Amino acid sequence: MSFLYEERTSPSRFVDVVWHTIDTTDGTYVASADARWDLIFTVTGHGDRVLLSGPSSQPTVVHYTAGNRNLGIRFAAGAYFTHVPVEAMRDRTVTLSMPSPARFDLGGSLWPFPGTDDDRVDALLESLADRGLLALDDVVDSALAGRPVPLSTRTVERHFTHATGMSPRRVRQIARAREAVGRLQHGTGIADVAHALGYADQSHLTRDLKRLTGYTPAQSQDRDEPV
């Protein structure tokens, strides 16, 4: 791994994790499908950058540059931005405009660039939520957590499509693949992971992981990068 990585929880109910990286060399990283929205702040020696990523349904190659410092927000299941339809952002990352070094444009308003300061990021998230740019679909969150949802299958599907741009089945496949990689990285055997997570067999596990994470189970065991 050619970057230093750490992550933390967030007090915001809209957020899954907040992560920090410092790029130690130039290189590329294969980001697994996540079915989540992401917001990334990069501090470089040549100017700062803000990226907004929609839910991804496939692996994505990410380029990084030595010396850059990054802070990323992976939003919670069911969290989404309200100013842009998910169909326009699925499997897409856009660079947000920065009219000045200290501010970036999101949803037609200017926001303070927080850099990699956790306190400023938490304050920004609270402001985005207060202004209605962030929303959380509790139906998606509950369905993924296995809690009862007193709605028809078709209605649940509409909630998933609105928040993630994907069907419940695809989102669950992605979540299961990510869980599989996490278990493999912690030393659980391939056959045990396939059985525990309900894959038909090891071949099924291999197909899903390659399609959704870019790596086979064996490669995932030796991978020292975060999912």
Side-chain angles (χ1 to χ4, degrees), residues 140-218:
V140 174
D141 182 55
S142 294
L144 289 176
R147 296 189 293 270
V149 179
L151 298 170
S152 69
T153 299
R154 180 168 295 181
T155 299
V156 171
E157 288 177 349
R158 284 199 297 267
H159 279 267
F160 270 81
T161 301
H162 179 71
T164 72
M166 302 176 214
S167 67
R169 179 173 181 270
R170 187 56 177 265
V171 174
R172 290 189 176 100
Q173 287 176 337
I174 291 170
R176 182 171 65 165
R178 295 175 67 88
E179 172 68 15
V181 173
R183 295 191 184 201
L184 290 166
Q185 288 180 321
H186 282 89
T188 306
I190 295 174
D192 290 336
V193 169
H195 175 73
L197 295 182
Y199 288 95
D201 50 34
Q202 291 188 49
S203 295
H204 183 198
L205 172 66
T206 298
R207 289 194 303 272
D208 256 25
L209 261 60
K210 186 67 176 177
R211 176 171 61 98
L212 298 173
T213 75
Y215 291 85
T216 66

Side-chain angles (χ1 to χ4, degrees), residues 78-92:
Y80 62 96
F81 282 87
T82 62
H83 71 289
V84 59
V86 68
E87 292 81 7
M89 289 296 299
R90 187 180 58 247
D91 292 316
R92 185 181 176 211

Side-chain angles (χ1 to χ4, degrees), residues 48 50 96-106 108-113:
D48 301 329
V50 184
L96 301 182
S97 171
M98 293 189 66
S100 73
R103 293 189 173 276
F104 68 97
D105 187 331
L106 177 64
S109 298
L110 295 182
W111 304 89
F113 179 78

